[in-house]
Amino acid sequence: MIKVTVWNEFEHEKTNPQVGSIYPNGIHTAIKDFLDIYDDIEVKTSTLDLDDCGISQQLLDDTDVLIWWGHCAHNKVSDHAAELVQNAVLSGMGFIALHSAHHSKPFKRLMGTTCNLSWREDGDKERIWVIKPGHPIACGIDRYFELEHEETYSEPFDIPEPDELVFGGWYEGGEIFRSGCCFYRGNGKIFYFQPGHETFPIFKDKNVQMIIKNAVYWAAPTCRVKLECPHVKKIDTDK
Ligand code: ZN
């Protein structure tokens, strides 16, 4: 059983009627709903308005893969909560950062760069290309798929070189973007996935849902081990 926690800042849904009409119960619930159909995935949700920003050591100890959606309230997430997430990833927890989570505190800590990108919001069509067809996260996805409307995210994207680049996005305005990037940090696996702007029903798209489901299986820890680098004594004491 893979234990997934979907964390959402849950702000736009309550303040923007357009977003509220797409996701009446929040983006976190929409993601939970399509993951819930898998018998070997157990999903719970957490939101910024809960105690301690919805992040505690107890929650992370009980989470194999943490999915994160945030946009306008990154600064309301405490540094302590971000550190807990960072340390959990280093100890093996999987982390999936969606769309504007590129600027979330946990993701920036794990990348070590600004994670800035270029963008515009014109509702362009996006064509997402599979760059690494043999990768488990691309399993079941055709050569490409299209999202009728999405916020444009464009290069340059200030992240470290991804360990694996699985998807690339192209927009009808001409921009390109590294849309699906895998990173290994400590014992943990991280997947950044660009689609998911709140004013479009991106998380209702079947390809997006399949990719997030695939990413959960990929990012789930094979073993959860705290990184230990102790001071050591000679192994062969007769030398
Ligand atoms: Zn957006």
Side-chain angles (χ1 to χ4, degrees), residues 9-24:
E9 68 178 21
F10 197 26
E11 297 268 336
H12 294 302
E13 298 96 321
K14 293 184 282 191
T15 56
N16 181 336
Q18 188 187 358
V19 182
S21 69
I22 301 170
Y23 301 113

Side-chain angles (χ1 to χ4, degrees), residues 185-205:
R185 291 292 184 274
N187 292 325
K189 285 177 265 185
I190 300 163
F191 180 58
Y192 171 77
F193 191 44
Q194 159 267 315
H197 188 63
E198 67 276 5
T199 58
F200 306 119
I202 304 294
F203 295 114
K204 297 181 178 181
D205 180 271

Side-chain angles (χ1 to χ4, degrees), residues 43-146:
V43 191
K44 51 184 173 290
T45 63
S46 185
T47 48
L48 179 63
D49 52 5
L50 299 175
D51 288 346
D52 302 320
C53 319
I55 293 294
S56 66
Q57 189 60 55
Q58 192 182 5
L59 175 80
L60 298 175
D61 287 344
D62 198 38
T63 299
D64 294 313
V65 180
L66 177 64
I67 299 176
W68 194 280
W69 197 99
H71 179 225
C72 64
H74 295 312
N75 285 338
K76 292 184 186 170
V77 175
S78 69
D79 291 340
H80 177 64
E83 187 177 0
L84 291 181
V85 172
Q86 179 185 22
N87 287 334
V89 172
L90 296 179
S91 300
M93 184 186 74
F95 185 60
I96 300 174
L98 297 172
H99 188 57
S100 39
H102 70 94
H103 263 171
S104 65
K105 284 187 180 180
F107 186 71
K108 287 172 72 171
R109 275 173 174 261
L110 287 159
M111 294 298 108
T113 55
T114 68
C115 299
N116 289 340
L117 50 81
S118 297
W119 86 102
R120 63 186 169 80
E121 200 177 335
D122 295 329
D124 271 20
K125 178 170 77 180
E126 179 181 9
R127 185 172 295 147
I128 297 177
W129 286 90
V130 176
I131 290 177
K132 216 169 164 53
H135 197 281
I137 299 180
C139 190
I141 306 296
D142 209 345
R143 290 170 60 225
Y144 65 86
F145 67 96
E146 292 179 348

Side-chain angles (χ1 to χ4, degrees), residues 120 124 170-176:
R120 63 186 169 80
D124 271 20
W170 169 90
Y171 300 84
E172 59 182 316
E175 294 86 353
I176 58 166

